[in-house]
Amino acid sequence: MKNILAIQSHVVFGHAGNSAAEFPMRRMGANVWPLNTVQFSNHTQYGHWTGTVMPASHLTDIVKGIADIDRLKSCDAVLSGYLGSAEQGEQILEIVRQVKQANPNAWYFCDPVMGHPEKGCIVAPGVAEFHCKSSLPASDIIAPNLLELEMLSGSSVATMEEAVTVSRQLIAQGPKIVLVKHLARAGRRSDRFEMLLVTAQEAWHISRPLIDFGVRQPVGVGDLTSGLLLVNLLKGETLKQSLEHITAAVYEVMLKTHEMGEYELQLVAAQDRIAQPQQHFAAEKL
Ligand SMILES: Nc1ncnc2c1ncn2[C@@H]1O[C@H](COP(=O)(O)OP(=O)(O)O)[C@@H](O)[C@H]1O
Ligand SMILES: Cc1ncc(COP(=O)(O)O)c(C=O)c1O
Ligand SMILES: [Mg+2]
């Protein structure tokens, strides 16, 4: 069994951050150690929420407890996502150093959630800067959406070819794998949801149909996507297999959510389809 220390948000109602990734990662056969950066009532795209950002020392305090029982060495990967403050980012890098010291083969998978005020994804000040400066060089795998790719690289990205070039510029600074989780306007077609998986040697492109959710598009899709990619890679699946699985699995969740007329991702209802998707989309090597 692979063990994943998953450091991101927790929402009590609905699905975002760990509340979107934890159950699907477990359903795929990984052990998850959820460490929550915030505990909010609901995700921020409702426009209002209650709850608390954990103090920065909370993260290292919990990890110290795990180190004290000598279990840090069994951690195979640290996954980070939505942060409650930029200080928490620094604490996560300290945790990554500790985990890698205990297990030199452990990976750091960073989903650089930077916020998207127009969409209502609100992230604390300094978090975007933290990712550009500090998490990028420390990560083994990074999973930006298009906006985050542009912020991390400082370049605007208008085409798929530019997205590959810019992903390789990021790779030159640290990570070995870049997942562009949502190509959006830089994709080939406006009627498809497209992703890219890039390493120094390979680049893979994939797309799935868009489903019409109107203006209330489900949140937590990025967190679900990142978690599932990490599990696939930890299981030793190839880049192509991993990209095809996450595309189909997330599509199944979107279909089920749409079918049930819900706004929150229907992860429990779609759990068997996450493990064994009936849809298949072929990744294309670029
Ligand atoms: N097949 C699909 N059809 C329609 N919308 C989708 C589909 N897959 C994902 N989405 C939407 O695309 C958006 C992706 O969000 P974005 O901010 O670009 O990246 P991230 O995944 O990091 O959040 C979400 O609003 C999600 O609901
Ligand atoms: C609390 C919280 N966590 C995580 C996210 C990130 O969600 P997504 O996977 O859609 O990027 C959001 C987005 O609004 C959020 O409010
Ligand atoms: Mg996101």
Side-chain angles (χ1 to χ4, degrees), residues 119 145 181-182 193 208-211 213 217-218 221-222 254:
K119 275 178 43 180
N145 60 25
K181 278 198 316 278
H182 185 194
F193 186 97
R208 62 178 181 250
L210 280 177
I211 301 166
F213 285 97
Q217 287 192 322
V221 177
M254 300 302 276

Side-chain angles (χ1 to χ4, degrees), residues 10-13 38-44 49-53 82:
H10 172 77
V11 292
V12 171
F13 172 82
V38 306
Q39 170 155 274
F40 287 167
S41 52
N42 50 266
H43 67 66
T44 63
W49 64 93
T50 57
T52 307
V53 173
Y82 186 100

